[in-house]
Amino acid sequence: MRTPIIVGNWKMNLNRAEAVALADALVAAIRAAIGGKNVEVGACPPSVYLDCVGHRLAGSPIGLGAQNMYHQPSGAFTGETSPKMLRDLGCKYVILGHSERRQFFAETDAEVFKKTRAALVHGLVPIVCVGESLAQRQAGKTHDVVAAQFQGSLSGLSAEEIAVCVIAYEPVWAIGTGVVATPQQAQEVHLDLRKLLLSRYNSRVASAVRIQYGGSVNAQNAADLLQKPDVDGALVGGASLKAADFLKIVSVA
Ligand code: 13P
């Protein structure tokens, strides 16, 4: 049985006071939202607020996560954040290879792979994102695109390493658009990913790795998505900025 995992990606939003207030609102109500269920919850604030938000989340069931990192542990890499630093701040998760990083910062599968391995070496749980664009879906290339991203970003990991990772299927056309994938569309790609895990690794890995869906998840559509057998959680953008909406998503998980 895979434990569902709901993670908020706050992206480049909020100021410090707002980030702290959101963390406090989540902590105040998270136990009630979880309600004794087996569900894992994470929040990924902007990197400059990891420290203050981490202090507010400490001792709560909400794990702290970062939205990106560099693969080196330290050194002359101006402007970057290392996996060691994220651990130092109490991070449990790090989102890697988000489509916004692939699109706006030209991140490649090879870089995502290096980051994923470095995150694992330092004890972080990587949340590795894959997903096709609208043009790719319309051209019938969804499977090929996701398979290539899996191949380049993940398949170099050992079975022990991949078992720790979370994969997030985030179709680019669904991110921030309000156009959510149908539960069936999500399930199809999630099953595809599970088959890729089976053919590259083994049935133990394929049944253990959690695959989140991300892209316009909200308090209204989460339940239908999460009901699908291979949808093991959600990576939530916009709706994670409102405590009540995010908590509702946690409560239906
Ligand atoms: P939205 O939920 O705002 O569509 O963003 C999804 C996302 O990119 C999460 O990483």
Side-chain angles (χ1 to χ4, degrees):
M1 216 5 219
R2 294 181 292 271
T3 304
I5 174 166
I6 309 293
V7 174
N9 175 7
W10 298 2
K11 305 195 180 182
M12 197 174 75
N13 292 301
L14 310 175
N15 61 32
R16 189 219 291 256
E18 289 164 343
V20 167
L22 178 55
D24 286 346
L26 293 174
V27 169
I30 191 63
R31 285 181 206 278
I34 292 174
K37 291 188 304 284
N38 194 24
V39 52
E40 208 174 304
V41 183
C44 303
S47 60
V48 288
Y49 304 139
L50 280 169
D51 198 23
C52 58
V53 168
H55 278 101
R56 309 308 262 231
L57 300 183
S60 85
I62 307 171
L64 184 67
Q67 300 172 16
N68 178 38
M69 57 166 233
Y70 194 55
H71 68 274
Q72 294 285 0
S74 63
F77 303 102
T78 301
E80 294 294 323
T81 309
S82 81
K84 265 172 88 168
M85 292 167 179
L86 297 184
R87 286 289 291 174
D88 194 21
L89 291 175
C91 284
K92 177 171 181 190
Y93 309 103
V94 59
I95 299 170
L96 297 172
H98 192 282
S99 67
E100 286 149 17
R101 298 224 46 94
R102 293 176 185 264
Q103 190 181 342
F104 302 126
F105 304 96
E107 245 179 50
T108 63
D109 286 328
E111 283 164 346
V112 176
F113 173 68
K114 276 197 251 179
K115 291 180 178 199
T116 303
R117 169 108 342 119
L120 289 162
V121 165
H122 289 89
L124 293 158
V125 174
I127 299 173
V128 181
C129 304
V130 297
E132 81 288 359
S133 67
L134 183 59
Q136 289 166 333
R137 173 162 283 264
Q138 287 171 339
K141 296 208 169 94
T142 299
H143 171 84
D144 293 352
V145 169
V146 169
Q149 289 173 334
F150 174 85
Q151 180 68 26
S153 310
L154 290 166
S155 73
L157 300 174
S158 69
E160 289 66 34
E161 288 173 326
I162 190 87
V164 178
C165 295
V166 174
I167 301 176
Y169 169 55
E170 296 209 313
V172 178
W173 48 269
I175 295 177
T177 58
V179 183
V180 65
T182 65
Q184 192 50 40
Q185 285 173 321
Q187 168 60 23
E188 269 170 30
V189 180
H190 285 225
L191 185 59
D192 248 11
L193 281 161
R194 215 169 291 289
K195 287 179 182 163
L196 290 165
L197 288 165
L198 181 64
S199 62
R200 164 63 184 88
Y201 299 97
N202 54 51
S203 59
R204 190 183 53 79
V205 165
S207 62
V209 171
R210 291 170 302 170
I211 307 174
Q212 292 177 308
Y213 169 79
S216 296
V217 175
N218 60 35
Q220 286 73 46
N221 61 30
D224 285 344
L225 287 159
L226 291 165
Q227 246 163 34
K228 289 292 173 189
D230 291 290
V231 178
D232 307 315
L235 187 54
V236 186
S240 73
L241 298 172
K242 295 180 211 121
D245 289 16
F246 185 71
L247 290 161
K248 175 86 199 300
I249 296 167
V250 170
S251 72
V252 301

